[in-house]
Amino acid sequence: MTPVRHTRIDGPLVMIGFGSIGRGTLPLIQRHIDHDPATFTVIEPDGTHAGMLAAAGVRHLQVALTPQNLREVIAALFPDRRGMIVNLSVDVGSLDLMALCQELGVLYLDTVIEPWPGFYFGSTVPNAERTNYPLREEMLALGRRYPGGATAISCCGANPGMVSWLLKEALLRLAADTGLATETPQDRAGWARLMQTLGVRGVHVAERDTQVSARARPVGTFVNTWSVDGLLSEGYQPAELGWGSHERTMPPQGHGFDFGSRCAIWIDRPGVDTRVRSWCPGAGPQSGLVVTHNEALSISDYYTVGAGAAPEFRPTCLYAYHPSPDTILSLHEVNGAGLLPEHKHILTEDEIVAGGDDLGVLLYGHAKGALWYGSRLTIDEARALAPHQNATGLQVTSAVLAAMVWAAENPRRGFVEADEMDHARCLQVQRPYLGRIEAHYTGWTPLSHRINRFAELRDDSDPWQFINFLLP
Ligand code: NAD
């Protein structure tokens, strides 16, 4: 079947980083976006996959971007205020790139707000400032300087990213299933009102990665299904979550912020060592790691009715991540050793023998209890759909593809987050790569099952309080 060509990108196309996500994104771009191959460049300091780039006919610029060389390297690639940068790297400062793209008149897209090296580890910056909240506030402040500028999409992979689009579909589904007559909202205020009217108290970005390799994980090697550096960086930031207006009890070691939208709190312990009870369709009740993620902040902010620290309505939102079995063991090892791993490995589609990734949104507290809505993609399906990626990767790369299409179709939107994009158009592009999109209702609450009889914080008067989710 001839693949659908969704759009055209005029001018140079530059991808920064050719790791697991970059390698998976390249074939999707070549399949679905018209562009001039002669002006497609990948900036990647590592030469390991140079052969793959050569075979794909893409220019390889083998250089590591730094704060010192960023302007010189990037400006030379964009002579005439056209083109797009897709930033899929670690260790390259997103905010400097976003500002430079505004100057150059170039479209921009990234999947996280990445700081320059030194932010995550080995710094003396207080924990409150090592959170994502100030990074996001800085991005928003920068964006306010460029209204109507070249479109710059912040944080748009699977999550953050696709989950914001799925959340809108889930809200419309919940409205239909509960008999609420509603039109599709046309603006932020409308979506926030819809969530409030439906009685949603909170949203978990609830993920279960079950992908396994036939080869036992060597002791001392950190194994993951996507960037090891990315997970370690965000995992050892403090846990962070959007803080709902219904919450009554601050968790132990929890702190608010005294600037910006006040939509979030942070907890003075690492996200990978902070667990919540959550729910996913394959596993049912499960634990998830509260790894800080931009969507936890942007979703709580976007769906706020009112403003400030005590709005009329705001949902709690957090990432409840159950990584792959090897990743859980790897984290266990790093936590115990207190040392970053010497060896790192990302499981490829060839070595994974079973499993998949269930990634969706769990909307809770409404008339039907809880609703999980998301993508269920197995490794076999991923292999059949696209080359060079596992199931986790394909959920991310297809979101990047969708965001690139949307940016090309909407080139003068200035800074945007996934919540502000046209979810229907983005999912239209992405859906063929998501396996099954399923909706599951469950009567489960975080108070449903307690095998342990030890004292823990709980609030029996309202199952949906955050402290009921929090594992001791
Ligand atoms: P990876 O670790 O496999 O690859 C990162 C790449 O960045 C490497 O190829 C590395 O050489 C390159 N790089 C490092 N320093 C660089 C520099 N100074 N200049 C240019 N390139 C440099 O990571 P990945 O799995 O491909 O993930 C890429 C990014 O996407 C990470 O930031 C990750 O956190 C993010 N991500 C987001 C989502 C999402 O859903 N939003 C999901 C997965 C990954």
Side-chain angles (χ1 to χ4, degrees):
M1 205 173 68
T2 317
V4 183
R5 308 295 280 183
H6 293 294
T7 193
R8 174 170 183 83
I9 292 176
D10 288 316
L13 182 53
V14 173
M15 185 192 287
I16 305 175
F18 199 56
S20 76
I21 301 304
R23 293 196 295 281
T25 301
L26 176 61
L28 298 189
I29 292 176
Q30 294 190 315
R31 241 184 227 181
H32 295 293
I33 296 183
D34 283 327
H35 60 281
D36 175 2
T39 60
F40 192 168
T41 303
V42 169
I43 302 177
E44 166 58 57
D46 183 358
T48 311
H49 298 285
M52 191 188 287
L53 286 168
V58 174
R59 176 181 173 219
H60 181 192
L61 190 54
Q62 194 168 355
V63 62
L65 293 173
T66 64
Q68 291 72 34
N69 71 11
L70 184 76
R71 172 175 292 273
E72 189 189 330
V73 175
I74 297 294
L77 293 168
F78 292 98
D80 58 0
R81 305 190 69 74
R82 295 183 311 151
M84 183 187 289
I85 290 183
V86 183
N87 180 13
L88 302 175
S89 64
V90 296
D91 283 349
V92 177
S94 299
L95 297 174
D96 284 354
L97 258 175
M98 291 177 97
L100 186 54
C101 283
Q102 293 303 313
E103 253 184 65
L104 298 172
V106 165
L107 303 173
Y108 175 81
L109 160 64
D110 63 31
T111 61
V112 289
I113 304 177
E114 186 74 6
W116 290 110
F119 176 87
Y120 293 120
F121 296 106
S123 87
T124 52
V125 175
N127 281 339
E129 294 166 32
R130 285 198 317 121
T131 51
N132 279 352
Y133 185 90
L135 284 176
R136 176 172 180 265
E137 288 296 325
E138 216 183 313
M139 182 277 294
L140 294 173
L142 186 63
R144 286 192 283 271
R145 288 172 39 192
Y146 303 105
T151 297
I153 302 175
S154 176
C155 295
C156 196
N159 65 311
M162 168 194 79
V163 293
S164 291
W165 308 330
L166 291 172
L167 177 54
K168 288 185 172 169
E169 275 197 353
L171 288 167
L172 295 174
R173 175 71 174 257
L174 183 59
D177 291 352
T178 53
L180 180 75
T182 183
E183 299 287 314
T184 301
Q186 296 303 314
D187 57 13
R188 191 200 67 77
W191 283 106
R193 277 283 175 216
L194 176 60
M195 185 183 275
Q196 180 187 31
T197 307
L198 287 166
V200 173
R201 314 284 287 282
V203 178
H204 285 185
V205 173
E207 178 171 8
R208 177 76 178 221
D209 183 346
T210 55
Q211 293 167 100
V212 287
S213 158
R215 197 164 71 102
R217 184 188 67 90
V219 171
T221 297
F222 197 107
V223 174
N224 196 16
T225 53
W226 56 282
S227 182
V228 172
D229 292 321
L231 174 60
L232 287 169
S233 305
E234 64 188 25
Y236 284 92
Q237 284 180 272
E240 219 172 343
L241 57 145
W243 193 238
S245 48
H246 68 287
E247 300 289 359
R248 292 193 281 249
T249 312
M250 190 63 109
Q253 296 164 258
H255 304 272
F257 293 96
D258 60 6
F259 62 99
S261 67
R262 320 273 182 98
C263 67
I265 66 163
W266 64 284
I267 301 177
D268 204 352
R269 48 192 277 189
V272 288
D273 209 15
T274 304
R275 292 167 308 143
V276 285
R277 300 175 173 90
S278 189
W279 195 95
C280 261
Q286 66 167 12
S287 67
L289 307 174
V290 189
V291 172
T292 183
H293 257 211
N294 197 76
E295 75 270 21
L297 314 179
S298 77
I299 287 173
S300 277
D301 203 2
Y302 187 84
Y303 289 91
T304 296
V305 178
E312 181 186 324
F313 169 74
R314 173 177 290 148
T316 290
C317 187
L318 59 89
Y319 182 24
Y321 180 29
H322 193 306
S324 81
D326 276 353
T327 310
I328 293 273
L329 280 176
S330 304
L331 284 168
H332 188 65
E333 212 167 71
V334 166
N335 275 335
L339 292 168
L340 289 171
E342 255 180 59
H343 305 288
K344 304 167 187 174
H345 180 65
I346 300 176
L347 291 175
T348 65
E349 66 284 6
D350 305 322
E351 63 191 317
I352 295 171
V353 290
D357 206 323
D358 289 351
L359 173 58
V361 283
L362 180 74
L363 290 67
Y364 58 80
H366 47 78
K368 290 176 76 76
L371 163 65
W372 186 94
Y373 188 84
S375 153
R376 307 192 68 190
L377 182 65
T378 66
I379 183 63
D380 293 333
E381 289 166 330
R383 263 197 295 262
L385 287 166
H388 308 313
Q389 50 211 315
N390 58 38
T392 311
L394 188 53
Q395 288 165 331
V396 181
T397 59
S398 55
V400 170
L401 170 73
M404 289 178 73
V405 170
W406 186 87
E409 291 172 346
N410 298 270
R412 303 295 304 178
R413 294 293 186 93
F415 283 35
V416 288
E417 294 181 296
D419 309 283
E420 299 162 309
M421 297 162 70
D422 176 353
H423 77 284
R425 173 62 177 144
C426 292
L427 285 174
Q428 182 187 39
V429 173
Q430 193 183 8
R431 201 178 290 267
Y433 291 108
L434 292 179
R436 292 138 294 134
I437 302 263
E438 292 182 5
H440 294 261
Y441 286 101
T442 170
W444 171 88
T445 82
L447 293 176
S448 294
H449 316 286
R450 296 282 169 114
I451 52 167
N452 90 49
R453 296 169 45 192
F454 298 95
E456 45 180 290
L457 267 182
R458 61 187 279 167
D459 183 341
D460 288 290
S461 67
D462 172 14
W464 305 116
Q465 291 292 309
F466 174 68
I467 54 164
N468 290 331
F469 288 99
L470 189 64
L471 278 152

